[in-house]
Amino acid sequence: MELREQVRAWLDAHEEEMVRDIGRLVRYRSVSRPGTEDAPYGPECAAALAEMLDMGREYGFETHNAENRCGSVTWENGGKTIGLWAHLDVVPEAEGWLYPPYSCTRKGDFLIGRGVGDNKGPAVGGLYAMRCIRDLGLPFRSSIRQVAGCDEEKGMSDVEYYVSRYPVPDFSLVTDSGFPVCYGEKGILEAELWSPPLEGVREWSGGTASNIVPDACTLLLDGGEAPASLPEGISAAAEEGGLRLCARGFARHTAAPEGGVNAIGRLCGFLEKSGLLPEKNRETVSFLKEVCGCFYGETLGIACADEPSGRLTCVGSLLRMEQNRAVLTLNIRYPVTLKGGALLEKLRQTAGAYGFETVLLQDSAPNYFNPDSPLVEALCEVYREATGSDAQAYVMGGGTYARKIPNAVAYGPGMAADFSPLGLPPGHGEGHSPDEALHLPTLKKAVEIYVLALLRLDRLLNE
C-alpha cells in the first residue's frame, strides 16, 4: 500500500478516537487569567494541560509538565529533535452561541465548540501525527516533542518561560496557522488610549479580549430618554435615573478583521448624533467612532503596508471606564519591515491632538524566517504534493508561538472549508467567533500532511 494510503487508512480507523480526544480538551473553559503558583494561568488551563499530558501517557509517550505553563509529549528516538507546538488556552466565549461552547458537538463532518479549531483540535492532530508515524513503523531517526502551552492568547508568557528554562527542538512547526508555510508574522503592538474626562457616563464597556473585534458594547448614561427609533444593532432601556444603550457587532480575529463590525464604533456613531451626551464630549466620542470604525489605522495616522506582509491592521478591541475616562485598547498588527517604536510615536502624536493619552501595553516584534531555506521549501513541496495546490509561503498578521521560538515556522492546519452546511448566522463559525467550528476531514488532511512533512524534515535534519 502506498504511503499516503497507509496514513489515510490509519486516520480513518482512529477518527472517532480523535473526536473523543478533542472533546476531552474542549470541555475545559481554559481562558488564561492570573492564577496561583501551582496554576499560573488558572485552574481550568492547568486541568486542560493535565488532560493533554494524560493523553500522551495513554498513547505510550514520555510527558513532562513545565510548572503548568507548558507541557511536553515526547517520542524519543535520538538524533535531531523536531518540535510541534500548540496551545490549549482559548479566548472567552462571548455571547450568541447556538451550541454549548464547552462541549464538542458533532454535526456531520463538523465539530463545534470553543477551541476546536484554535487550537485544541490541532493540538490533538499533532499528537496523532506522532502516533501515526510510530504505529505504522515508518523509518524515522529524529525525536519529536510536542509542546502545549496555556497563555498564547494573552501574550505567550508560557512559551517565553519554557524557552528560557528547557531545551528547544532543533526545528519547530507551530500548528496554529494556515498552509503552506507562514515564514513571517507581523509585529503586535497593544496600547491604551485614555480619553479626556467624560460627563454623564456611569458605565461603559465593550469587547471580551484584545485580539477579537468586539461584538458587544454597553453604556449607562445619567438620565436621558430612549429615542423613538433606533438604528440597526442598537438597543436602549431605561434604568432608575439612567439610560442603558447596547450595540451589537460581528466578532473577528483582529489579525484578519475584514467582515467584522466593531460594536464600540457602532455605539459611538449613534452617540455622536443622538444628543444624549454633553456637547463637550462630542469630539471625544467622534474620535473613538473613527478609530473603531476602520481596521487600518487611517484615523490614527499609522496606515501603512509592505510587500511581504501587506497592510497594517488596527482594531479598537476593548473599552472600559476608569477615573471617569474611557480607556480603549488598540490591537495593532504592523508590517515586518516597520519598527514598533516609530509606530508608537506617531500614535501618541495623533491621539494627543484629540486630548488622549497613549499607554504602551506590549510590543511583540515581527518574526521572520528565511523563506529560501531548504526546510521551508520542503514543507511547501509536501503541501503542494498532498493537495495539488500551488500556494506559496507567506507572512500573516496573526501571532503564533513561532515569534518566541528559535528556528520555527507556523505550518497549518488551516485550509479552506465550506461551513455553509451548518447554516450558522453571519459572524459565527470562525476561530474567535461564536459557534467556532472545525471541518473534520480538513483536520485529517492536515494530519496527513504533518506525517509526510515530519518524514521529509527527518531526512533533511539527519543528512
Side-chain angles (χ1 to χ4, degrees):
M1 184 184 297
E2 194 260 339
L3 174 59
R4 287 182 192 166
E5 293 177 357
Q6 292 182 59
V7 173
R8 291 171 192 158
W10 187 93
L11 290 170
D12 287 343
H14 292 81
E15 178 178 309
E16 294 303 319
E17 194 174 43
M18 182 185 294
V19 171
R20 181 203 69 193
D21 285 342
I22 294 172
R24 288 171 64 179
L25 297 177
V26 170
R27 62 185 173 140
Y28 297 104
R29 189 182 185 275
S30 50
V31 177
S32 177
R33 58 184 176 82
T36 64
E37 184 177 352
D38 293 335
Y41 306 119
E44 290 290 297
C45 283
L49 181 58
E51 192 78 53
M52 185 74 195
L53 298 181
D54 283 346
M55 283 184 215
R57 284 189 292 271
E58 290 167 14
Y59 297 134
F61 298 113
E62 300 175 16
T63 64
H64 177 260
N65 188 327
E67 296 74 60
N68 276 326
R69 296 176 182 270
C70 294
S72 61
V73 178
T74 303
W75 180 30
E76 185 63 60
N77 285 315
K80 300 288 188 178
T81 300
I82 302 171
L84 296 172
W85 299 70
H87 66 90
L88 304 178
D89 63 308
V90 296
V91 296
E93 66 276 12
E95 299 176 358
W97 285 68
L98 305 179
Y99 295 88
Y102 298 107
S103 177
C104 186
T105 302
R106 183 164 188 176
K107 302 289 289 185
D109 283 336
F110 298 91
L111 305 181
I112 303 169
R114 178 56 91 219
V116 291
D118 187 16
N119 188 235
K120 294 176 177 180
V124 171
L127 178 61
Y128 274 60
M130 293 169 58
R131 290 183 64 196
C132 181
I133 294 172
R134 183 198 60 188
D135 291 358
L136 293 179
L138 301 176
F140 204 80
R141 294 172 289 173
S142 299
S143 297
I144 304 177
R145 185 185 312 141
Q146 184 180 36
V147 183
C150 296
D151 188 47
E152 195 270 354
E153 300 286 3
K154 288 288 184 70
M156 307 187 193
S157 66
D158 50 350
V159 167
E160 290 177 345
Y161 178 93
Y162 187 92
V163 169
S164 70
R165 288 164 175 81
Y166 295 97
V168 177
D170 295 285
F171 183 70
S172 291
L173 304 178
V174 178
T175 58
D176 191 17
S177 71
F179 283 115
V181 177
C182 176
Y183 65 88
E185 299 176 8
K186 291 179 181 178
I188 302 177
L189 188 147
E190 291 183 323
E192 290 179 343
L193 300 183
W194 288 65
S195 79
L198 296 172
E199 292 183 2
V201 179
R202 292 195 212 167
E203 303 172 10
W204 201 358
S205 62
T208 57
S210 172
N211 56 0
I212 306 176
V213 174
D215 63 356
C217 182
T218 182
L219 171 73
L220 180 59
L221 296 172
D222 284 325
E225 295 183 1
S229 63
L230 294 168
E232 178 185 359
I234 304 292
S235 62
E239 294 191 6
E240 185 175 349
L243 178 66
R244 185 172 295 277
L245 300 169
C246 298
R248 303 295 304 181
F250 290 130
R252 287 289 188 273
H253 196 297
T254 54
E258 294 80 4
V261 175
N262 191 319
I264 299 171
R266 175 172 271 179
L267 184 55
C268 288
F270 169 73
L271 286 171
E272 183 183 41
K273 300 176 182 178
S274 69
L276 292 169
L277 285 175
E279 180 67 26
K280 65 176 296 185
N281 293 335
R282 179 167 294 182
E283 184 178 61
T284 296
V285 170
S286 296
F287 179 69
L288 290 172
K289 180 202 74 171
E290 294 298 327
V291 171
C292 295
C294 63
F295 292 136
Y296 304 106
E298 297 96 333
T299 299
L300 293 165
I302 58 174
C304 61
D306 68 13
E307 192 278 327
S309 42
R311 300 171 78 179
L312 172 147
T313 60
C314 174
V315 176
S317 55
L318 291 170
L319 185 70
R320 71 181 192 276
M321 285 291 291
E322 191 168 331
Q323 302 171 18
N324 206 37
R325 302 163 74 184
V327 184
L328 178 70
T329 298
L330 299 177
N331 186 285
I332 301 170
R333 312 292 173 117
Y334 60 88
V336 296
T337 57
L338 195 66
K339 299 293 185 182
L343 179 71
L344 181 64
E345 183 58 31
K346 181 63 176 176
L347 182 63
R348 284 185 169 138
Q349 290 176 5
T350 306
Y354 290 87
F356 281 73
E357 178 187 355
T358 301
V359 178
L360 176 66
L361 298 180
Q362 69 145 336
D363 179 16
S364 180
N367 177 58
Y368 187 84
F369 190 94
N370 183 3
D372 297 324
S373 161
L375 298 172
V376 171
E377 293 176 358
L379 291 170
C380 288
E381 287 174 4
V382 168
Y383 173 76
R384 293 170 189 146
E385 291 167 1
T387 63
S389 167
D390 62 354
Q392 304 296 312
Y394 65 96
V395 172
M396 72 171 180
T400 76
Y401 285 150
R403 67 176 57 233
K404 303 291 185 180
I405 306 164
N407 298 318
V409 296
Y411 190 58
M415 290 184 280
D418 179 12
F419 290 95
S420 62
L422 290 173
L424 295 172
H428 289 233
E430 300 295 332
H432 284 196
S433 303
D435 300 310
E436 179 179 342
L438 171 73
H439 186 233
L440 190 57
T442 299
L443 178 63
K444 289 169 63 181
K445 184 65 175 179
V447 177
E448 174 192 332
I449 293 169
Y450 286 148
V451 170
L452 300 172
L454 288 167
L455 293 171
R456 190 78 61 91
L457 292 175
D458 176 61
R459 293 196 295 271
L460 287 171
L461 291 172
N462 291 285
E463 285 179 344

